[in-house]
Amino acid sequence: MRDLLGGKGANVAEMTRVLGAEMVPAGFTITTAACIAYVAAGRELPEGLDAEIEDALGRLERLAGRRLGDPEDPLLVSVRSGARESMPGMLDTVLNLGLGDETVAGLAARSGNERFAWDSYRRFAQMYGNVVVGIPGERFEEEIARVKAERGVELDTELDTDALRELTASFRALYELPMDPREQLRAAVRAVFDSWEGERAVAYRRINHIPDEWGTAVNVQQMVFGNMGDSSGSGVAFSRDELTGAPTPSGDFLPDAQGEDVVSGVRTPRDLSELGEWLPDVHAALMDVLRTLERHYGDMQDTEFTVQEGRLYMLQTRNAKRPAQAAVRFAVDAVAEGLLDRAAAVATIDPSTLDALLHPTFDQGVQTHVLATGVAASPGAAKGEIVLSAAEAVRAGAEGRDSILVRSFTEADDVAGFHAARGILTSEGGKASHAALVARGMGRPAVTGAAAVQIDIESGEVRIGERLLHAGDHIAIDGSRGTITADDVPLIEPQVSREFETVLDWCDELRTLGVRANADTPEDAARAVALGAEGIGLCRTEHMLLGERQPLMAAAIIAEGESERAEAIAALRPLQESDFEQILRAVDGRPVTVRLLDPPLHEFLPHPDALPEGSPERRRVEQLQESNPMLGTRGVRLGILFPDLYEMQARALFAAAARVPGANIEVMVPLVAYERELEIARELIDRVAAETGFSGYQVGTMIELPRACFQADRIARDADFFSFGTNDLTQTGLGFSRDDIEGRVLGRYIDVKILDRSPFETLDTPGVGQMLRMGAWLGRTTRHDLKLGVCGEHGGDPDSIAFFDASGIDYVSCSPYRVPIARVAAAQAAIARSR
Amino acid sequence: MRDLLGGKGANVAEMTRVLGAEMVPAGFTITTAACIAYVAAGRELPEGLDAEIEDALGRLERLAGRRLGDPEDPLLVSVRSGARESMPGMLDTVLNLGLGDETVAGLAARSGNERFAWDSYRRFAQMYGNVVVGIPGERFEEEIARVKAERGVELDTELDTDALRELTASFRALYELPMDPREQLRAAVRAVFDSWEGERAVAYRRINHIPDEWGTAVNVQQMVFGNMGDSSGSGVAFSRDELTGAPTPSGDFLPDAQGEDVVSGVRTPRDLSELGEWLPDVHAALMDVLRTLERHYGDMQDTEFTVQEGRLYMLQTRNAKRPAQAAVRFAVDAVAEGLLDRAAAVATIDPSTLDALLHPTFDQGVQTHVLATGVAASPGAAKGEIVLSAAEAVRAGAEGRDSILVRSFTEADDVAGFHAARGILTSEGGKASHAALVARGMGRPAVTGAAAVQIDIESGEVRIGERLLHAGDHIAIDGSRGTITADDVPLIEPQVSREFETVLDWCDELRTLGVRANADTPEDAARAVALGAEGIGLCRTEHMLLGERQPLMAAAIIAEGESERAEAIAALRPLQESDFEQILRAVDGRPVTVRLLDPPLHEFLPHPDALPEGSPERRRVEQLQESNPMLGTRGVRLGILFPDLYEMQARALFAAAARVPGANIEVMVPLVAYERELEIARELIDRVAAETGFSGYQVGTMIELPRACFQADRIARDADFFSFGTNDLTQTGLGFSRDDIEGRVLGRYIDVKILDRSPFETLDTPGVGQMLRMGAWLGRTTRHDLKLGVCGEHGGDPDSIAFFDASGIDYVSCSPYRVPIARVAAAQAAIARSR
């Protein structure tokens, strides 16, 4: 009942069943539905809630044998938030609720520990003031510092009862603390609900794609006290090492402390391993509990515990969030230990974290001087010279120089610079900033919000921490850690660990969805194969015609006469042939889907302003400018208008394939809208194949226009395969030009809840996804065995992969570095489907 | 069986049934299927055809009582093409087939008329040589001229038998005429089939949207002879006046002539009215036949007849192609005469011809000096100053000056000039040229291929016929007639005649599809109402923010501070309010669909190059440039990003509506892809309405993105109506940017048979049409009474209107001048549906 009770509420209830009531403090949960009703009613508690709380409280009082507000023996409760998915630190909590001037005396008398009672009261007054009333935390810290200074002590634990009493009084002078514990409870519940709408929580949800409509539950639970002296304490414990996943539990604890102390960092906690020396029985019990919970949940656990006078209470458990290497290690060990079968083990891995294992990183063996840190906004490391504008980045890129684009913040105009630069560094903005969003979308490493970076565009000076640098100086950034250095630190290409290989092998057994890679060079093709790609699902040919070959291609386009044109095209053929041959050799017989020329011709030409005014070249280049190049003369339209270009490519491809034994080629025609377009292109390809004597290839098309989805049954007549180009299908289906929309519109659309993430990152399933399904369905009405692939960037996105798997797609194709992620996501999709 | 037999074959067969075998020469038809097989096999006659022809010939010989090639009494036949739709003059014909050196003697003996026999042989040798062998017609004309000169005669009829014998011999010297009549026949059939693939025929099919796959049939028919002397002749007769539609039959005839002589213009034919004096019985019989045929076919007839020695033979009949005024007159008279009911009468009108009645024309009452003529490429008249480049046309337009764009030929770069100019004049190209296609698409009058126009761009001189003009001089063109003048000829706004009004009234009774108009000004709105629009289906608001108001709009967009921005927007409000008020008054309570701001903002701004380098304005304008503005920050996206603009528009609209009694407004939100976009826009509109105290309006959306069609059920939750924006739906559904594709790709696509016309002219029903149907279907799953309109340019296209009518659309909206066409097309669609 996680949706209704929240993660914590559901887990505490389940934990009570698993561990027994004596090990989990009693309590009740106010549901997420109440929160949603509260928010919808404009922050008004729903009718009847008070009565239900009173009812539940009555049951809790009976179980605990204490009553809230009883001056003799008061029940104290914790009030904690708990959303459907954990949002650590984002939502509010109030502990020790139920204390007041009368009940503190009762607590002191009953526990025989006056200092404990006043420490609890002081804590409550502080948390209530901060969380419920909204007094800034510093105000309380100031008072604590003042009293400690007056008394000449350093640690909170050194404050005696008198000092705590004085502190409590000083806190209560800051605001009015109600003495009625029911009023306290009601206010605390509202505060938790309100925290759902707080800025931090909203920002966190945006980044983590958590819908606003989920709401948070509120868990009211009997307090147990880690602050009752030397045999009490609080801690957090992971069932395995939280960083590496190694089998030894890890964690922290603090003697004589409540849970918040462990997290707050006010005192330095002790390592969990020391618990065994201090309270061996508790340690043993905890180890036992951790094993029990892990076995029950079938996943690594992240728990909170309190020891009250030598007795262990478990306050919370949840599946542990963990870095990729720990997730992989756990999966492998869990199978070895017989805890999980392979499918269940694979299902515990969050594929989106695996990114970190697949990007270049700084060589950790080399000592690096970190100049400053910022937000780890987009993973991976990069180095290059400082450039201060998108234009400079583009220039550097064109000249083959690596650059890092350094800006205060970025906006739409800078996007061209993202493409050209190796990495992005900004002094403002967090994980949800424009720079972070765009960089992640493009797979560029980024560090954002590095406040220690000061930029003076005029002078070209960049101050990073203490160091003064200039445009053109070299820096390096690590977007996985948020660090910046001016050292020439070596970058390490990612290695797939042995455990990761094991997991990936299991994934390959489990999945039914094929995984290929998009690769345009022999190097990328080889890397893709090394990372487990079963072939190349998209080999773009236009990149082979840029760089040093661009002048030849430009000549072919601009040529006045037929013979000049034919000459330029003929000169391109052997170059293209050699490209194809190398790629075919690199994949060793795996299929390679070669896409014929796709982009608008002006991409191969210089900007008209760079040509002499009035020259025929300039006129021709100007003629080729288009108002909407995305929707212009590109794709198969080029093949129809300039058949000699497609013919050259086909000829080069078949010649190359003839020289590579076992070459397995699929010729792909882009941007087909009409069946006749494919028919004409196929005629050309088949004719060239016949002329070169090559056979055994396939011909197919990209399905990337809405019309093609509606006419897929006809288009399939001439296609051996379809490959859904979900990037362009998103652009045309939604009427969104990626270049224009991501910078200008996307942020606002997420703010006003039209979108919860970019449709270029995760497939828009209600729209584009249904177009794809229509295309798949109609295509297979014509050819029941039509091979279906996806070669848009969505092919590397786990959520989208699950959708493709459920839509009858045969394989996805993604960038080489995302191949392992796709293998895991595909396996998980198959597992989910088989359940 | 028109599809199989062609129009002529089917009509001759039916005519034989109606008029009796004695009135129609016997014959047989070789089907279009044979032609298609012939073309598909690479010009190879299909197997078995020879035997079938032999068989049919045998039956014909028995009916005629003569045998082909019989030296005593030879059967002669005509071999005529006949496609499914008439393609006058495009396909080939051979007459008098069966003659040779032996049979000519038999014909002479049998007819007792040696001159007739040799005249027939001479004609056959000429036509066979021209049509079958491919000798240019001039070669034969030269021989005729030579022989006439030698004999000192002027008319063909003055040539005696000897002269004809000499002429025949001279023709036969030009090529080898086979003497075997069966060989002649086979060659003639091939020639007719070949003519289907001839350049002229292909060009004609392109213009008239006739599929290549239809093919032509071949009709082989016993010859009757109009050239047998004084009581013989040939003619064409329309059952009513071919130009006006008045009830008196019209036509031409020539005594002692074969049919080809009437059409060829070698001799000047006599008016049909004179036939009564010459051969009163024949005339009476013909009048009777025309009435019979008209009654049988229920349409005005265009016939060919031959009189052989006082006996009338009908060779052909077909529904008469006629100008719009004749079509309208016939429809009205046919009902009055009881020939047709209203529905049947309306069905006889070709709505595409009505265009001619609805464009401005030269005032025919004013004597105009025509400087030159060209191809009547796009109907309507226009005048303005000569501009020689698109840029000049744009400049003139911006300055409010009317211009005529004069070019040798046009290409993609000139398209902006088409928008800006009043009309187009080119010296090259015909009805299928780029200039003609684009001008017709945009509704701009155009004269193309006016060879007498010589342009010297450098000097700005334009020579038109004898007259030397310069850029800036005024000219006028009539695109319905192809004429050019430098006179300041008054333009007459089109008037709807009394008969046309009658027909339109019937159409309004018959149709179920509503017809509205697109209008942005009070003048257009009033014109639309006068032409029968039931409301305004699309009132674009952006045009109201251009012209003199553009600086205010630009200020609102560029404003740095919030207050400057608010000020500029506030200044726009009263202006917009007055626009709305005038339009609402013009339509007198009819519904007006007002579309909120749609185009990308940069359209309201100067080009960045026009602003000082480095200025903040320039920077802002540059920021707003987009790489694909069609898919960028426009439509409802503007309303989400800049709600104050939409709010201003809504406020102005409601304020205006409050001042106009009975105002009936529908607020339309453009470019919705996500239901939440409409929800947000609707909240804003409803809030503003509540604030201004206005009620009783509707809110709806344009459905113009493929995603919106897939999500129409959700979008309909907040919509009172949908209006399908088929222009943008075509652009996104097909991935075709109209500006880029029409100039560059369309022509080629038609050549290679991917398209048969522009999808922006007639709806792409298999793709865009099905998207529309999906949107309509899903929208009405949510609201069964959801009002559905179409406001793209297809709303004025008869073929598309039939599709909309069959798709459950409630109304179409088109430009005011096309409203009458839409009314007729909608009526015809209803008639077709009810059959």
Side-chain angles (χ1 to χ4, degrees), chain B residues 146-166:
Chain B
R146 180 181 60 74
V147 171
K148 281 202 277 196
E150 282 172 15
R151 313 259 161 166
V153 302
E154 283 199 7
L155 294 178
D156 293 5
T157 42
E158 294 170 327
L159 291 169
D160 61 15
T161 307
D162 254 16
L164 291 167
R165 196 177 272 125
E166 181 189 341

Side-chain angles (χ1 to χ4, degrees), chain A residues 623 677 707 744 749 764, chain B residues 623 677 707 744 749 764:
Chain A
Q623 277 174 357
E677 290 172 322
R707 188 188 201 275
R744 285 166 218 256
Y749 265 41
D764 164 54
Chain B
Q623 277 174 358
E677 290 171 322
R707 189 188 198 274
R744 287 166 216 257
Y749 263 42
D764 164 53

Side-chain angles (χ1 to χ4, degrees), chain B residues 817-831:
Chain B
Y817 284 123
R818 293 196 75 84
V819 164
I821 297 174
R823 289 160 74 191
V824 174
Q828 293 183 339
I831 295 163

Side-chain angles (χ1 to χ4, degrees), chain A residues 120-198:
Chain A
S120 301
Y121 194 14
R122 182 273 298 180
R123 288 167 185 273
F124 173 56
Q126 182 175 352
M127 288 183 107
Y128 190 96
N130 180 224
V131 167
V132 180
V133 185
I135 315 268
E138 306 90 81
R139 288 291 295 109
F140 298 102
E141 296 301 335
E142 282 164 21
E143 292 300 321
I144 295 171
R146 181 181 59 73
V147 172
K148 280 203 275 197
E150 281 171 13
R151 312 259 161 167
V153 302
E154 283 197 7
L155 295 177
D156 293 5
T157 41
E158 294 171 324
L159 292 169
D160 62 14
T161 308
D162 253 16
L164 292 167
R165 195 176 274 128
E166 181 191 337
L167 213 42
T168 308
S170 80
F171 289 172
R172 291 195 45 204
L174 295 173
Y175 69 96
E176 182 147 7
L177 175 67
M179 287 297 111
D180 175 0
R182 281 178 166 70
E183 192 178 326
Q184 292 171 359
L185 179 58
R186 200 175 308 112
V189 168
R190 298 180 77 104
V192 172
F193 284 168
D194 286 340
S195 71
W196 177 255
E197 295 286 288

Side-chain angles (χ1 to χ4, degrees), chain A residues 507-581:
Chain A
C507 289
D508 291 348
E509 285 165 22
L510 292 162
R511 68 190 164 89
T512 55
L513 187 70
V515 177
R516 297 191 187 181
N518 303 346
D520 314 335
T521 63
E523 298 72 35
D524 270 0
R527 184 174 296 124
V529 169
L531 290 168
E534 294 152 28
I536 305 302
L538 176 61
C539 175
R540 300 178 195 87
T541 52
E542 51 268 22
H543 294 169
M544 306 173 188
L545 302 172
L546 289 168
E548 27 182 60
R549 298 170 189 175
Q550 182 270 335
L552 277 176
M553 185 66 189
I557 298 168
I558 297 183
E560 287 278 308
E562 270 313 302
S563 66
E564 284 174 53
R565 179 181 164 74
E567 214 169 281
I569 292 179
L572 282 166
R573 193 168 64 79
L575 303 172
Q576 186 111 78
E577 190 176 318
S578 139
D579 295 330
F580 289 138
E581 183 179 341

Side-chain angles (χ1 to χ4, degrees), chain A residues 39 99 103 120 139 170 193 201 352 387 389 433 444 447 528 579 589 642 672 680 736 757 778 780:
Chain A
V39 172
L99 279 174
T103 44
S120 301
R139 288 291 295 109
S170 80
F193 284 168
S352 68
V387 295
S389 72
S433 64
R444 286 281 177 284
V447 174
D579 295 330
F642 310 105
V672 163
I680 291 172
F736 268 9
R757 68 187 100 177
L778 288 178
R780 285 193 172 147

Side-chain angles (χ1 to χ4, degrees), chain B residues 757-777:
Chain B
R757 66 186 101 175
S758 168
F760 295 103
E761 196 182 307
T762 297
L763 194 76
D764 164 53
T765 54
V768 179
Q770 302 314 314
M771 292 178 210
L772 175 145
R773 285 185 164 171
M774 172 180 262
W777 158 51

